[in-house]
Amino acid sequence: MQPAQHNDRERRPQADTAAGPATASRRYSPVPNSRRARRALIGAGTALAVVVGATYAATWIMDIPSPHELIRLENTPPSKRGEVFPARTIAAGKPTELPKSSQPTPKQVPWKGKQIPFEEFLAKTHTQSFAILREGKLTYEWYHDGVNANTRLSSWSMAKSIVSLLVGQAIERGELRESDRLVDLLPELRSGGAYDTVTVQHLLDMSSGVDVAEDHDTIFTGSTRMYLTHDLPGFLKDHRKVTYPPGSKATYRSVDTGLLGLILTRIENKPLADVLSERVWKPMGATHTATWNLDRDGGMEKAFAGINATTLDYAKIGQLVLDKGQANGQQIVPEKWVTRLATPAANRIDGWGYSAQWWHPSGGNGKDYSAIGVHGQYTYIDPVTKTVIVKLSDHGVEEDEQETIDAMRSIAQHTT
C-alpha cells in the first residue's frame, strides 16, 4: 500500500516593517511560535488519524488483511509467506526415503547469453533450496542459510499443478468430467451469460476468459485481491463475467484454479488439504506434514497459490508425475492424466505451451514441462533424461522464467 500523499505547506507570516521593531518582535516571539507548532502538530496528528482510520476502514470494507497485516506480509520473504496466513494441515503418513546417488552438477550453466558458474546462478536467482533427482535418486541437495530439509517453503503457483493431480483423480473415479459446465457443478454461480458456458476443461487449460486479471500491482482488483480476500467463495461469486468466449484462447488466470478448488471441495465434501493428504501426500510417502493457506481461519484453501512444503516433498510430487502417476507400487494418479498434462493444449499462453495447469516452456527437447510459481518456484520434469529439479526462491517478480528453464535444462542434460 502506498502512503497518502500530502502537499501541505507551512504558511509563514511576512514581517510588517511598518509596525516597527516592537510589533515584529511580538509577532515572532517564542510563545506564539510554540502555540502555532502545537496547533500544527495537533492538526497533523488529526490528519494522520483520519488517514489511518480510512485505511483500516477500506481494508475492512474490502474484507482483506488490515494495514498492519499487509505491512507484515510485505516484509516477509515470499518463500515464507505461508507463515502469515491461516492454514490447514496436510497430514503425512509413512514416509518413503529417497535413495541417494552422487553425481556432480555442471560447473557452469547458461544465463542470459553467457555461461556463469552454477553457484552464481543460485545466487542471482535468490535460491533458497535446490534439489536434483535422476532416475528417482537424489543426486544433489542444497539449502541457503537458515533453510534445511525440514523447512517448509511456499509453493506459490506450483499449487495449481498439484490441484491438477486431484482433478485427474476425480475424473478417473467418475466424479467429474472435463466437459462438465462450471455452473452445473456450482449452481450458485449461474449468471445467465457467457460465463455459464465455462467448462472444467476451460479452467484446466486457462481458456475460460473469466475476468479476474493476473495483476500483482494493486490490492484493489485482480488476482492480488483474490489472494488477500477473507471470503474466497464470495469473491468468485462476485466475478462472473468473461472477457472472451470460453475456449477461444488462453490467458493465465489464477481465478481458474480457484474455481477448480471450489469444485473439488464441493464434490469431495471435505477441505482440499484433507483431499491432498488422503489422495497424494500419504500414498506417495511424503516425509513431512505440509500446510495449505486459507482465506480465513477455518475457511477455504487458496487453491491457486497456498501450499507450503519441504523441498524433497515437492521433488516427490515431480517424481510421481515423471513415473506416470506411480509411487510405492500404487497407481496414485491415472497414467492417462499424466499424458494429458504432459501434452500441450491447443491454446498457448504468452508463447509457451500449457496443459492442465502445467507449463510447457518453449525450446529444449519439446518434452519437458514444469510447475512454476511467481517468485521462482519450480518443479521441473524432463522425461528424456529422467530428471526432476526443484528450485524454491525469493526472486521477486523479475521471474526470468525462460532463462531459469534453460539453466535447468542444461543441468538435466549434464551427465559427467
Side-chain angles (χ1 to χ4, degrees):
M1 295 183 63
Q2 297 295 321
Q5 301 295 313
H6 297 283
N7 195 30
D8 297 335
R9 294 185 177 88
E10 185 179 352
R11 299 177 62 88
R12 298 189 181 276
Q14 301 296 315
D16 186 354
T17 54
T23 305
S25 175
R26 193 165 53 245
R27 183 170 291 168
Y28 295 104
S29 66
V31 174
N33 274 339
S34 297
R35 289 171 180 166
R36 280 196 296 274
R38 284 198 297 271
R39 286 198 298 270
L41 287 172
I42 291 169
T46 302
L48 179 60
V50 170
V51 170
V52 171
T55 305
Y56 273 83
T59 56
W60 180 80
I61 291 170
M62 290 191 292
D63 204 11
I64 63 174
S66 65
H68 71 271
E69 292 172 317
L70 292 175
I71 291 171
R72 180 190 173 200
L73 181 65
E74 185 64 24
N75 289 330
T76 301
S79 61
K80 296 293 187 69
R81 288 187 188 168
E83 300 173 2
V84 177
F85 293 98
R88 186 172 282 122
T89 297
I90 303 167
K94 182 179 179 181
T96 300
E97 286 294 322
L98 283 169
K100 296 184 179 181
S101 176
S102 178
Q103 185 169 343
T105 59
K107 293 182 179 179
Q108 293 189 318
V109 297
W111 186 256
K112 299 187 177 183
K114 299 188 298 183
Q115 292 286 323
I116 65 171
F118 173 66
E119 294 78 8
E120 184 179 345
F121 162 68
L122 296 180
K124 276 183 176 291
T125 55
H126 306 92
T127 309
Q128 296 300 304
S129 67
F130 198 93
I132 305 172
L133 273 61
R134 295 183 185 274
E135 298 186 349
K137 296 178 180 179
L138 178 64
T139 62
Y140 182 81
E141 186 179 10
W142 177 90
Y143 299 99
H144 193 274
D145 292 345
V147 179
N148 59 46
N150 302 315
T151 305
R152 287 197 293 248
L153 298 172
S154 299
S155 69
W156 289 89
S157 287
M158 290 200 308
K160 295 178 171 73
S161 303
I162 295 174
V163 166
S164 170
L165 306 183
L166 302 180
V167 172
Q169 291 173 325
I171 290 173
E172 179 71 10
R173 293 192 305 271
E175 297 173 357
L176 194 61
R177 297 172 300 179
E178 287 200 58
S179 59
D180 285 341
R181 292 195 311 164
L182 168 65
V183 297
D184 291 334
L185 299 165
L186 303 171
E188 69 273 18
L189 296 184
R190 200 176 302 277
S191 72
Y195 179 93
D196 291 359
T197 66
V198 171
T199 66
V200 170
Q201 180 182 348
H202 295 147
L203 299 174
L204 283 164
D205 295 336
M206 296 216 172
S207 61
S208 73
V210 176
D211 189 15
V212 178
E214 200 67 14
D215 190 345
H216 301 283
D217 295 328
T218 175
I219 66 172
F220 298 105
T221 60
S223 58
T224 300
R225 175 75 177 274
M226 181 173 65
Y227 175 67
L228 295 173
T229 183
H230 292 142
D231 181 9
L232 187 51
F235 178 94
L236 296 172
K237 192 171 184 179
D238 288 343
H239 293 80
R240 289 178 288 165
K241 294 181 180 180
V242 295
T243 56
Y244 52 80
S248 62
K249 64 179 183 177
T251 311
Y252 187 76
R253 292 287 186 265
S254 291
V255 66
D256 287 1
T257 321
L259 289 164
L260 287 172
L262 198 56
I263 289 170
L264 286 169
T265 301
R266 180 69 54 84
I267 65 175
E268 293 276 7
N269 196 30
K270 63 180 67 172
L272 280 181
D274 294 348
V275 177
L276 179 58
S277 172
E278 294 171 13
R279 302 204 183 277
V280 175
W281 219 248
K282 289 179 179 178
M284 78 171 184
T287 301
H288 295 90
T289 294
T291 63
W292 205 328
N293 291 129
L294 309 175
D295 56 357
R296 65 183 185 280
D297 286 328
M300 180 181 172
E301 287 83 351
K302 301 173 192 281
F304 46 87
I307 295 174
N308 308 285
T310 61
T311 303
L312 296 187
D313 281 338
Y314 287 125
K316 287 179 180 179
I317 288 284
Q319 190 64 43
L320 171 67
V321 175
L322 178 62
D323 289 339
K324 300 181 179 180
Q326 292 187 11
N328 297 321
Q330 303 178 64
Q331 190 71 46
I332 297 172
V333 176
E335 182 176 349
K336 62 183 178 183
W337 189 254
V338 175
T339 300
R340 161 77 164 93
L341 63 85
T343 306
N347 293 311
R348 295 170 71 83
I349 300 177
D350 297 331
W352 281 15
Y354 194 83
S355 184
Q357 309 282 296
W358 287 76
W359 285 100
H360 294 260
S362 61
N365 57 34
K367 296 184 182 299
D368 57 351
Y369 49 96
S370 187
I372 300 178
V374 66
H375 294 285
Q377 294 75 33
Y378 296 83
T379 299
Y380 168 83
I381 299 169
D382 182 8
V384 175
T385 61
K386 298 181 180 179
T387 301
V388 172
I389 299 176
V390 172
K391 181 183 189 302
L392 304 174
S393 318
D394 284 325
H395 195 39
V397 293
E398 299 94 335
E399 299 187 23
D400 294 323
E401 291 172 344
Q402 185 66 61
E403 293 85 353
T404 303
I405 288 289
D406 289 342
M408 290 193 289
R409 283 171 169 161
S410 73
I411 293 167
Q413 294 162 9
H414 181 75
T415 57
T416 57

